[in-house]
Amino acid sequence: MSNLDLKPAPTTCGREASSGPVKDLLTGRQVQLGESTVVRRLLPNLGRRMVGAWCFVDHYGPDDIADEPGMQVPPHPHMGLQTVSWLHQGEVLHRDSLGSLQTVRPYELGLMTSGRAISHSEESPRPHARYLHGAQLWVALPDAHRNTAPSFEHHPDLPTVIAPGLRATVILGTLDTATSPGTTHSPLVGADLALTEGTDLKLPLVPEFEYAVLAMTGRIEVDGVPVEPGSMLYLGCGRRELPLLAHSDGSVLLLGGEPFEEKIVMWWNFIGRSGEEITQARNDWEMGSRFGEVHGYDGARLPAPELPDIPLKSRGRVR
């Protein structure tokens, strides 16, 4: 998925993990995505830039798109990151410059590794289901892997962890003894936790990771904090377990990983290490080189916004 802001602000990111457990509730800002989809952007947020290597989180829906075109994101470029498509309802048709053509359905993993350069589009199929509900996430690639060859993976069957009142689908990384088949390049985890009403449990965590929980549906308390759908609770580091209490059937996404130690700059749909890299990537996209071409999308590709007047600098986070 693309960042369609016409005037994207430069986002400086790096290490900013808490020294221990915290409970910071983040609310998303509404961003128009394409013709008819409005998303709630949780990361980057004014008070939080990253959770481990997770650096971008959009939540959208549930939207009634029966009489709407649904998601329509024209071809656009990416570099230095992975995109994770995750659906609860609806379908998204993925096309990319590698020639991939794949419909991603609920609880299937669509994972695109941009590496040095890729372009893709995302759209609701025609015809499409009535409702669209999901999350789009980015993972920053560490320096050793950010210039790798681009790739796309589709994993329709993901491992689960089952406990009384809990069904956890492992999207990326490892939870308990279950490991996703999706390729990762840094220590992290992403899991969809489906809870039944009345469930009261403590989920084991890795204390070296920092975590956040994105609420998808239902009424769930996370460590005593009610987290409404479309909001996210940042949890910090140093936790060995996470209390969860379900007041109704519902689900949350658990995102975590080792604090990202590298200095990066994120602008529009690019992640680099310097302003010069970002400028070059933008020029390459506008000139039609490097990022390839997406075939089959009914519409023009997305033009790059103008660069900001201020220099794009790579910075780390301050503890």
Side-chain angles (χ1 to χ4, degrees):
M1 187 176 291
S2 172
N3 179 358
L4 299 188
D5 284 356
L6 296 179
K7 296 181 179 180
T11 303
T12 55
C13 307
R15 189 182 180 100
E16 191 193 31
S18 64
S19 58
V22 298
K23 290 184 279 189
D24 293 337
L25 189 61
L26 307 178
T27 57
R29 64 182 179 91
Q30 291 194 342
V31 176
Q32 186 74 33
L33 188 73
E35 299 176 19
S36 59
T37 303
V38 176
V39 303
R40 290 163 288 278
R41 185 149 298 161
L42 284 307
L43 284 182
N45 189 289
L46 182 62
R48 177 63 46 191
R49 299 305 189 203
M50 298 180 77
V51 178
W54 301 96
C55 61
F56 183 95
V57 176
D58 275 354
H59 174 261
Y60 53 91
D63 294 327
D64 187 339
I65 60 170
D67 300 319
E68 303 287 344
M71 183 179 294
Q72 297 294 325
V73 181
H76 58 278
H78 285 292
M79 77 168 190
L81 57 91
Q82 292 177 293
T83 67
V84 178
S85 298
W86 188 251
L87 289 168
H88 274 198
Q89 292 176 283
E91 298 175 338
V92 172
L93 178 61
H94 167 96
R95 306 175 192 265
D96 64 40
S97 53
L98 301 175
S100 307
L101 178 63
Q102 180 64 55
T103 299
V104 180
R105 298 178 172 86
Y107 301 97
E108 298 179 351
L109 172 61
L111 176 65
M112 186 180 75
T113 301
S114 69
R116 57 182 174 265
I118 198 171
S119 57
H120 74 139
S121 65
E122 292 173 297
E123 59 187 302
S124 296
R126 303 171 187 174
H128 52 67
R130 178 172 181 176
Y131 293 102
L132 180 65
H133 181 207
Q136 183 73 20
L137 311 107
W138 295 357
V139 177
L141 290 172
D143 190 64
H145 298 282
R146 67 190 183 94
N147 290 311
T148 188
S151 64
F152 177 75
E153 303 172 37
H154 176 239
H155 299 287
D157 298 310
L158 295 171
T160 57
V161 175
I162 307 296
L166 170 70
R167 180 182 178 86
T169 302
V170 184
I171 303 169
L172 277 182
T174 298
L175 182 70
D176 193 30
T177 58
T179 300
S180 166
T183 301
T184 58
H185 298 280
S186 58
L188 55 77
V189 66
D192 188 301
L193 312 179
L195 301 162
T196 59
E197 182 177 359
T199 299
D200 187 357
L201 58 79
K202 292 182 178 180
L203 186 74
L205 299 180
V206 178
E208 292 78 19
F209 280 15
E210 59 176 339
Y211 290 94
V213 168
L214 169 65
M216 297 292 288
T217 60
R219 295 184 295 115
I220 310 294
E221 280 188 25
V222 181
D223 196 10
V225 179
V227 185
E228 297 295 325
S231 60
M232 186 166 72
L233 185 67
Y234 176 71
L235 297 163
C237 293
R239 292 176 178 266
R240 297 186 179 276
E241 59 185 19
L242 180 63
L244 297 168
L245 174 61
H247 295 286
S248 69
D249 291 354
S251 63
V252 299
L253 295 188
L254 176 71
L255 305 175
E258 286 187 358
F260 200 78
E261 298 187 12
E262 298 176 23
K263 298 179 180 180
I264 68 175
V265 59
M266 182 166 67
W267 180 83
W268 196 42
N269 297 299
F270 305 132
I271 292 180
R273 298 300 187 275
S274 69
E276 290 76 15
E277 284 185 14
I278 300 295
T279 300
Q280 185 62 56
R282 182 194 181 278
N283 291 341
D284 289 346
W285 174 246
E286 290 296 280
M287 294 297 292
S289 63
R290 177 178 170 188
F291 291 95
E293 186 176 352
V294 178
H295 296 283
Y297 183 83
D298 185 15
R301 68 181 198 156
L302 197 66
E306 293 297 325
L307 288 162
D309 294 332
I310 61 174
L312 294 170
K313 295 182 179 181
S314 176
R315 298 184 178 91
R317 293 174 173 178
V318 178
R319 280 183 175 270

